[in-house]
Structures are given as structure tokens and as C-alpha cells.
């Protein structure tokens, strides 16, 4: 795996130039370097989009759902911790740039659209690649819609095409979801193992998610995993409708479970691995400048502590000097961890009656940070879509009577699967069966007591740490875990439940795409954190 990652990483630096520098018209054909590459394999664009997949941000979604927080008010960091209605553009623009391009980034959706154009030039030979691109593109758009609401879709990324459209309209979020449903079903059905008259069924090289080698990949292994990945995305989508249309939710879930079905074990987990030369970008922020700014939030740490969660020691840690996170943390004993209280910042915490104190050395406080030796490591994987999440969604669907099977079994499987992910992190060992059994036997965890939906979705919150966009989406959909709104800044209105419901659009859209932006704002009913998405019924 490390050899494959190092080989693929060699390609990333040139990908944007090769993909997008070569697609513009009007290049002078004379006096070009004979060594300059003017074409690229779209499979490499797929792998780059996989490597750059955006699962969220510690300072956006994780802060809203009270897993993690930057407690220092530094102006540009005055974002979701401080309940700014308009948000801080520092954070509003993050997902937009990651998907569409901006701030020096080539966005994943733009990359996938270009890859799709290139692959479609060889529809038979590139069939499986085309379907993989469609599946990953659908997931990215689902995340984008769940972040902002209405976004450019039908006219997006056309500036380099014959239409030269640089001001795309914003499609309605519900309409985009409808098309993504079609895309996922069609792409999954078109993936094929074995030769047919109309489709090439070759394996696709450079696949970071499921490739078994750098250039050599077994289609019999790779393709069914992509099919099940698409099924699990359909399951996510179906559950998004749980508050607004139970019949539609059941229809989509039934489609998800048909055919190849959904992710069936941790061996199917969709993840991006990292190593010492290709570092985890999600953890780069907290590990980078001023690590002493960042702490785990009290509700998350209290959930781990109150249930003696065996995952806790790999997630939370105390450092004597919070700004120095190299090496083994000083304390990972779960009972000794304290999350930063909701409703406080670096100044107001000093007067709290049970303030835990300043750091023993340097700047910062005596509160728990990420365990930078394990979960917060620069070589930790990023999980994109997992067996644990899939089983927990099935637990809720079964509890609602939408699928057959035992809700309790799905629930317990989801917890076990989450624990079984930890050996894939650096410096972590397998969580033994006796620890898991003791955990699920506790009354506050066991699938009994009449509060099953809360327990399922609290576990989803735990299992989605590091997959922030999904944690935020499921919190809005389910209403769990039961959190107390953050009173910092201006408390959010009752219509929001006290929590941000979306991320505002980037400020630059008001000038570069003004008419489309204004139409979207009118459609959404405003452009701040208070507007609910179509599936987020009050």
C-alpha cells in the first residue's frame, strides 16, 4: 500500500496542470517543449480526486456538532464556535474551493467532470472508469448540497467547454438529489465484471479506494466494492428523506439493498490511506500552526467517558505542553480527559468555577486534545464511507420497519465495526472482544430502554468522527445526539433548534456570479446559517 501511495503521489503535483492547462483552446502550437505532456489518463484524475476527497472540517461541521473546537477568537477564526449568523468566509469558502476550485485548489468535482469528459471519448474501453467517476462525483455533490443547499449543478464547470459558461445557475437542492439518485443507480448497474459486447470490464488502475496494486488491479475484487459503495451512498440518501417522505426513503433504501447491496464488511470500507511522505490533510490544521488552539469539545469527551468507550484512548489525549504534540502524549487515560466546555472561549474560560487550569508548559489549557499519536496522526487514514455507518443506518431503517433484519444486530455490528477500524490507525491495537462486550452491555449503550433512535444516532456521531460532513448531516436529519446549543455570540433562533443548519455561500459568489447567487438566495429564503435544507424539516 505504501508503495502504491508513493507512486500515485508522484503524479498529483502535475495533475492540475495536465488536466486543466491542456483543456483550454488557443494554445500556440509552435515552439512547444517536446517534453511537455499534453494529455492525461482520466484514471489518474480519479485517483487525485480520491486523494483530495473532502469529508469536512474540524472547525466547521465538527464544531457545530460539538466534537471539536478552536477556542481562540482570532478574527478570521470567529466562525461556528461563535455562532456568527453569516459565518466567517474563512470557513464558508472551504468546501466550495475544495469542490469547484479556488484559493489555488483544483476542485474535486471540476477534476471529476474533466475526467468524465476524457473517459467518455472511449465509452466501451473506459466503461468501468466512467461509472466510478459518476459514483464519486455523486458523493461529492451530495456533500456539497448538504453543506450549502442550492448549488451550481447542471451548468457547473462549463467554462472550459464550448458553452464557456462562467456564471452557472444554482440548481435547487432537491432537484440535484433527484438526479444524483439516478446517477448512482445507473452507474452501479453499468459496472460490470466479465466481458460483454458493449462494455469493457477491465479493472481501473490508480484506484486508491479499492485498487489492489499500483497498475494491476483485479476487476473481480474492485468492481463489486464500487457497487457496494454506491449502494451505501444510496442508503445514506434514502435516510436523508426520513423526516420529509417516508415512502421515498423506503424506495431508495430498497434500491440500495438490491443487486450487489451495500458495504458488507470493513474490507469494503472506502478510505484514503496516508503515510510519512503523503500526510493526512484533514489533521494538518490542528497539527500545524498553534496546536494549542484546538481541543475536543466537552459533550464528545463526556460521551466517551460516561460509557468507558474503549475507542477513547485512541481519540483523546492530554499534553503537558499543548503546542508541542510530537511523540507520545502524556496521558490517554480516559478518566483523566476533560473536553473544553461549550459556550466558552480562551478568555471567558479563565473565570469558570471549575476551570481545569492553564497548561503546565507553554500556551493553552488543561483540556483534552486529539491523540496526535493515533487518531490525529499525520499518517491516519480518512474514512469516507464505512461498514459501521452503513450498519447503523440499517439499524435505524430496521427500527422504523423499513428493512428486514434485527435492528439490534445492525446496531451492535455498527459499534463493533467502528472499533475494528482502529488497527488501521498508527500506534493503535485491536480492541478486544471483552472490551466491546462490556461496552454494549451498559444500559446507556445497550439497545433497550425506549430511546433506540437516540442511541443509534449517537453511535453514528461517534463513528463519524473525522467524517465531519456526514456527522453534521446526520445530526440535522436525526436530531441526535441530544446536544445543548452553544450560547456564544448571538444565540441562534428557535427555528434552527439553536444550531447552524447550513454553511453560507462564499462571499466571492456575490460578485463573480451575482445574478445566479441572488436567485439562489431568494430560493433558499436567505443566505446564512438559519436556512434549513429541503430534507431538514423542522
Amino acid at each position: 500500500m505504501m508503495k502504491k501511495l508513493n507512486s500515485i503521489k508522484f503524479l498529483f503535483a502535475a495533475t492540475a496542470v495536465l488536466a486543466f492547462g491542456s483543456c483550454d483552446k488557443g494554445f500556440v502550437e509552435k515552439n512547444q517543449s517536446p517534453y511537455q505532456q499534453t494529455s492525461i489518463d482520466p484514471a489518474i484524475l480519479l485517483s487525485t480526486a480520491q486523494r483530495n476527497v473532502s469529508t469536512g472540517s474540524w472547525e466547521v461541521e465538527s464544531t457545530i456538532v460539538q466534537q471539536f473546537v478552536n477556542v481562540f477568537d482570532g478574527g478570521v477564526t470567529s466562525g461556528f464556535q461563535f455562532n456568527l449568523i453569516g459565518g466567517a468566509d474563512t470557513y464558508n469558502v472551504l468546501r466550495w474551493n475544495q469542490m469547484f476550485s479556488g484559493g489555488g485548489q483544483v476542485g474535486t468535482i471540476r477534476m471529476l467532470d474533466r475526467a468524465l469528459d476524457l473517459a467518455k471519448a472511449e465509452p466501451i474501453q473506459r466503461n468501468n472508469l466512467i461509472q466510478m467517476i459518476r459514483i464519486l462525483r455523486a458523493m461529492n455533490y451530495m456533500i456539497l448540497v448538504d453543506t450549502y443547499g442550492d448549488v451550481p449543478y447542471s451548468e457547473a464547470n462549463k467554462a472550459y467547454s464550448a458553452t464557456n459558461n462562467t456564471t452557472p445557475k444554482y440548481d435547487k437542492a432537491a432537484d440535484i438529489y433527484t438526479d444524483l439518485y439516478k446517477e448512482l443507480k445507473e452507474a452501479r448497474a453499468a459496472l460490470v465484471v466479465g466481458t460483454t459486447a458493449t462494455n469493457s470490464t477491465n479493472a481501473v488502475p490508480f484506484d486508491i479506494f479499492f485498487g489492489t496494486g499500483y497498475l494491476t488491479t483485479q476487476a473481480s475484487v474492485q468492481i463489486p466494492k464500487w457497487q457496494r459503495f454506491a449502494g451505501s451512498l444510496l442508503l445514506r440518501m434514502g435516510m436523508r428523506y426520513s423526516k420529509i417522505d417516508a415512502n421515498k426513503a423506503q424506495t431508495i433504501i430498497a434500491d440500495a439493498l438490491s443487486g450487489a447491496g451495500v458495504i458488507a464488511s470493513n474490507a469494503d470500507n472506502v478510505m484514503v490511506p496516508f503515510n510519512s511522505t503523503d500526510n493526512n490533510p484533514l489533521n494538518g490544521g490542528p497539527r500545524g500552526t498553534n496546536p494549542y488552539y484546538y481541543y475536543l469539545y466537552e459533550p464528545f469527551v463526556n460521551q466517551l467517558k460516561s460509557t468507558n468507550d474503549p475507542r477513547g484512548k485512541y481519540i483523546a489525549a492530554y499534553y503537558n505542553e499543548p503546542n508541542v504534540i510530537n511523540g507520545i502524549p502524556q496521558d490517554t487515560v480516559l478518566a483523566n480527559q476533560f473536553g473544553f466546555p461549550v459556550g466558552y472561549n480562551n478568555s471567558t474560560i479563565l473565570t469558570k468555577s471549575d476551570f481545569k487550569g492553564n497548561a503546565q508548559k507553554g500556551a493553552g489549557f488543561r483540556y483534552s486534545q486529539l491523540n496526535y499519536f493515533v487518531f490525529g496522526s499525520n499518517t491516519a487514514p480518512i474514512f469516507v464511507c464505512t461498514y459501521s455507518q452503513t450498519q447503523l443506518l440499517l439499524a435505524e431503517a430496521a427500527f422504523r420497519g423499513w428493512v428486514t433484519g434485527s435492528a439490534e444486530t445492525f446496531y451492535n455490528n455498527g459499534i463493533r465495526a467502528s472499533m475494528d477500524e482502529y488497527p488501521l490507525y498508527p500506534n493503535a491495537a485491536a480492541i478486544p472482544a471483552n472490551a466491546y462486550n462490556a461496552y454494549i452491555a451498559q444500559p446507556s449503550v445497550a439497545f433497550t430502554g425506549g430511546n433506540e433512535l437516540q442511541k443509534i444516532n449517537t453511535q453514528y456521531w461517534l463513528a463519524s468522527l473525522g467524517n465531519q460532513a456526514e456527522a453534521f448531516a446526520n445530526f440535522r436529519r436525526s436530531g441526535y445526539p441530544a446536544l445543548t446549543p452553544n450560547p456564544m455570540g448571538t444565540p441562534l433562533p428557535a427555528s434552527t433548534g439553536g444550531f447552524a443548519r447550513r454553511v453560507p455561500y462564499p462571499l466571492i459568489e456575490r460578485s463573480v456570479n451575482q445574478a445566479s447567487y441572488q436567485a439562489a438566495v431568494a430560493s433558499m429564503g436567505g443566505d446564512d446559517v438559519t436556512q434549513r435544507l429541503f430534507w431538514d424539516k423542522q
Side-chain angles (χ1 to χ4, degrees), residues 69-347:
V69 63
N70 174 351
V71 304
F72 280 75
D73 184 356
V76 295
T77 63
S78 296
F80 294 93
Q81 154 72 341
F82 299 97
N83 276 339
L84 297 185
I85 295 293
D89 204 53
T90 306
Y91 302 124
N92 296 354
V93 77
L94 282 177
R95 188 66 31 72
W96 201 270
N97 287 351
Q98 290 165 346
M99 297 291 193
F100 284 141
S101 298
Q105 301 179 78
V106 178
T108 52
I109 290 176
R110 184 179 178 189
M111 201 174 296
L112 290 167
D113 280 350
R114 183 60 179 146
L116 195 59
D117 287 344
L118 293 171
K120 282 181 176 178
E122 299 179 289
I124 295 178
Q125 300 91 328
R126 296 286 194 168
N127 172 68
N128 280 342
L129 173 60
I130 289 169
Q131 311 318 323
M132 292 175 187
I133 294 169
R134 292 173 74 188
I135 291 167
L136 187 59
R137 181 178 182 273
M139 187 200 76
N140 277 275
Y141 260 114
M142 190 172 168
I143 293 172
L144 193 67
V145 168
D146 292 346
T147 302
Y148 297 104
D150 298 355
V151 296
Y153 181 69
S154 58
E155 297 180 359
N157 294 325
K158 304 297 184 186
Y160 65 85
S161 70
T163 64
N164 192 32
N165 185 353
T166 59
T167 55
K169 72 175 183 179
Y170 288 48
D171 295 84
K172 292 190 71 64
D175 295 340
I176 298 173
Y177 254 59
T178 297
D179 198 64
L180 297 181
Y181 178 31
K182 174 188 73 68
E183 282 290 289
L184 287 169
K185 288 197 300 179
E186 289 181 358
R188 182 180 62 171
L191 285 167
V192 188
V193 179
T195 304
T196 71
T198 58
N199 290 316
S200 167
T201 59
N202 296 330
V204 176
F206 308 112
D207 179 8
I208 294 177
F209 291 164
F210 303 123
T212 56
Y214 172 48
L215 288 173
T216 57
T217 301
Q218 295 177 299
S220 60
V221 174
Q222 183 189 40
I223 303 308
K225 288 179 182 288
W226 273 94
Q227 290 171 326
R228 292 191 288 271
F229 174 28
S232 285
L233 292 176
L234 285 168
L235 175 62
R236 276 187 185 180
M237 176 177 285
M239 292 304 294
R240 292 286 199 270
Y241 288 89
S242 63
K243 289 201 293 188
I244 62 168
D245 192 335
N247 290 333
K248 188 166 188 174
Q250 291 178 74
T251 297
I252 298 175
I253 292 167
D255 280 338
L257 298 177
S258 65
V262 296
I263 289 174
S265 72
N266 273 14
D268 289 343
N269 280 349
V270 184
M271 58 169 278
V272 183
F274 295 95
N275 58 38
S276 58
T277 58
D278 183 23
N279 289 176
N280 178 317
L282 179 66
N283 291 342
R287 293 181 60 89
T289 305
N290 300 326
Y292 70 92
Y293 280 14
Y294 304 105
Y295 299 88
L296 289 169
Y297 240 150
E298 187 174 58
F300 193 83
V301 173
N302 284 352
Q303 176 65 34
L304 297 174
K305 289 175 66 175
S306 66
T307 58
N308 195 29
D309 195 318
R311 294 167 287 192
K313 64 182 178 181
Y314 297 138
I315 296 171
Y318 165 62
Y319 293 81
N320 291 336
E321 190 171 1
N323 214 38
V324 179
I325 58 173
N326 297 322
I328 300 174
Q330 283 74 20
D331 190 348
T332 60
V333 175
L334 191 52
N336 297 338
Q337 306 304 316
F338 297 94
F340 199 91
V342 175
Y344 293 86
N345 64 18
N346 58 299
S347 297

